[in-house]
Amino acid sequence: MAAFDPGAAQASNCGLFMRVVLLALLVAREGTCQQLRQVVFELIESQPSGTYVGDISKASGIERQVSPAELRTLRYKFLNPNNLQTASLFSINSENSVIYTSAMIDRESICKLDEVCIISFDVTVTSTKTPFFEILNVRIKIKDINDNAPRFPTDEVTLFISEDANVKSEYKINGATDSDRGTGNSVERYDMQSDYDTFSLDVDRNLDGTWSLKIVTNSQLDRERRDHYRFLIVAKDGGTPPLSGTLTVNVNVTDANDNSPVFTQNVYDVSVQEHALVGSVVGHVLAKDRDAGQNAKITYRFSSRRASKVGDLFFIDSQSGEIKVKDRLEYESGSSFEAIVEASDRGNPPQVAQAILILRILDAGNDPPKIEINPVTDRTGSTMTLSEGAEIGLVVAHVQTTDKDQGLNGVVECRSLDESFRVERFEGRGYLVRVAKALDREAKQEHNVTVECQDSGSPPLPATSSFQIRLLDENDNNPRFEKQIYRGNLTEDNKIGEFVLRVTARDMDHGINAMLIYSISLEEQDSMFQIHHETGEITAAAVFDRETLSQVQFMVKAVDEGVPPRTGSASVIIDIVDKNDNAPYFKSSLEFEIPEKLEGGTKVGQLEAGDDDEGRNAEVQFMELTTDSRLLQVPFVVLSDGTINTDRMLIKAERETYEMIVVAKDGGNPPLNTTAMVRIRVIDSNDNPPIIEFPNRRTTLSL
């Protein structure tokens, strides 16, 4: 019995533990994969452009899954709009989900020789308002009609057969092909139409679905008796009615190539490391021909009748049969491809053999993930567009990763390097890029969103891919005036339409959301001023009289054209500036009295005047109307402030009443004035003692 080794047991248990953990990770990874919901439509080929194909919403059951309100917000788009075949053949009404043809579809052009013709593409279903998102796989089966007749590679072929050819010798000619692949629409049979029984037709179907026709000699040929034969071979399909193609065969009797090449193997199975260099040899096929000379020289090629990706990744040396790498293989790790190889001799006509080639690409280590980003939102050129009001959780892109490495090397996690967006797994079908937080176009108009995906290898290998998002404006900002209070002046007695001032508002939004319309809120005074709706210029709509109204206050509004619109406001104060349009008027009495015999320079009285204007226009000065007052013998002086003084002593006995014209003039430009007649009466002063007239010295008193 072997001794127990604790260290070896511990190492064995550790290895078992790691294998269990790895298996759990792989099972968890596979467990996330879910089948996409699939929608299948059928379409008969050759229908005109614009033909109805089907309704995705109905066929998928989405219209029964969501509410009518949410259904109206759903938009349907190709997951990969860069697929030229899909975009050129079909269109999707993004709002009602109906698929139409964009061109007349020729099944034979699309699917070549495939028995079943299916055009498959993925469609995203995204809500413009809610976080709803789903990817649907749409498969459109193109049904064949019998619209192509069988066709031989050429209308006429000439065979050169040696006269010593053995009876039952076979001479290969190329069969007809029929692009149709519907039931019975491809080549079903061949008939020979000949006036001779010297030859017969042997028919075989090849591995790739083509026909191998052989002209068989039924009797010994004698060139001297007959050196040329001519007959027809007719290929017919199984359509209703059947279509046919005809080949004219000319046989010239001469000498022959009667052996086909033979591959050394019927199936070649080649394994290739994923890191094999472009141009390196990874395999070899070999065929031999028992003939001699040109009839034994062989060239190799891939069959053009079997669609395969092998031709994109590998090529075959036509002379040596070596299989060489044509393109990088890293992202095809773990894949297998099958193709048909042909060996053709150089006889006339040539003989051809076929074999199967299987190429298996082996995983050789850890490679970084491959990232493919398919936008979901609208795009302008290469830039995606998104409303700044997008809800948190809205899907903007689908991310598909490819990492065919084994174990932890193939376990991939992705994240967004832009904190405004997040990346999360989506039902085993890659990842979704969603809005992570509220967006603000005014703070940041464009986002360069970088998605980083990293495998779980040691060390982990990262890969990144970026896309651009431009935010579209939402009307989320109110217009703001440059000032909250605007103050202006308007001179009274103005003209209608006279400019007063301009108000200006700004809106941080963009486009129509920033286009402003100005208005005035004047309530009962709304006819006094007008505002230009676009420029904000305020003009007078009435003629003002400062003496009636000296100041007007009102509000101005700026309303943007968003939906719904937003409003900003400011106050406007207009001061009505005085104009000298009122003449002074006398307020004081124009009649004065002054006692006689007072010294010159004595104040007689004070004139007072008013003026309804203001400022200098209301500053009144007084003066006599004429400068020839001395001629008029008016012994008074009128000072500018309205004071009236005497210029000499007055004697009532000389003159009792004086009159003079006084002017009250304001300080306007030009000045206005008013004249008045001032009357001054000289009154008696108590300057004489009483006189006793009786008795006096002349009077004798009687006792």
Side-chain angles (χ1 to χ4, degrees), residues 1 29 41 57 82 117 119 123 136 149-150 176 184 271 403 460 467 495 509 514 524 595 659 683:
M1 177 180 295
R29 180 188 180 193
F41 301 110
S57 176
N82 295 322
C117 181
I119 301 175
V123 172
L136 302 175
S271 295
D403 193 331
F467 58 92
K495 294 181 179 180
D509 293 319
E524 72 278 0
E659 291 182 346
I683 61 175

Side-chain angles (χ1 to χ4, degrees), residues 585-648:
Y585 58 90
F586 286 91
K587 297 193 298 181
S588 63
S589 173
L590 298 177
E591 294 189 0
F592 300 93
E593 292 182 345
I594 184 170
E596 65 177 336
K597 299 181 181 179
L598 297 179
E599 294 182 358
T602 300
K603 182 177 180 180
V604 178
Q606 182 72 43
L607 292 173
E608 293 183 2
D611 195 313
D612 290 337
D613 296 320
E614 66 177 357
R616 289 189 58 83
N617 296 335
E619 295 178 0
V620 180
Q621 292 185 342
F622 300 87
M623 66 184 68
E624 298 173 48
L625 178 61
T626 62
T627 59
D628 57 351
S629 60
R630 287 174 295 177
L631 297 176
L632 298 176
Q633 297 181 351
V634 178
F636 302 99
V637 175
V638 179
L639 302 182
S640 62
D641 64 355
T643 301
I644 301 175
N645 293 331
T646 63
D647 67 352
R648 64 178 185 270

Side-chain angles (χ1 to χ4, degrees), residues 103 432 463 528 591 681:
L432 299 180
M528 293 183 178
E591 294 189 0
R681 189 164 61 89

Side-chain angles (χ1 to χ4, degrees), residues 465-503:
S465 184
S466 301
F467 58 92
Q468 199 79 7
I469 289 183
R470 178 180 296 116
L471 296 183
L472 302 178
D473 187 54
E474 288 283 337
N475 193 26
D476 56 353
N477 289 280
N478 290 332
R480 296 189 64 180
F481 282 91
E482 293 179 347
K483 302 177 183 178
Q484 283 304 300
I485 299 177
Y486 288 85
R487 193 146 199 161
N489 295 325
L490 177 65
T491 301
E492 64 175 328
D493 197 24
N494 56 284
K495 294 181 179 180
I496 299 295
E498 183 174 338
F499 174 80
V500 180
L501 58 83
R502 182 198 303 271
V503 297

Side-chain angles (χ1 to χ4, degrees), residues 242-257:
L243 302 176
S244 62
T246 302
L247 173 68
T248 299
V249 180
N250 296 294
V251 177
N252 292 332
V253 181
T254 181
D255 301 317
N257 175 29

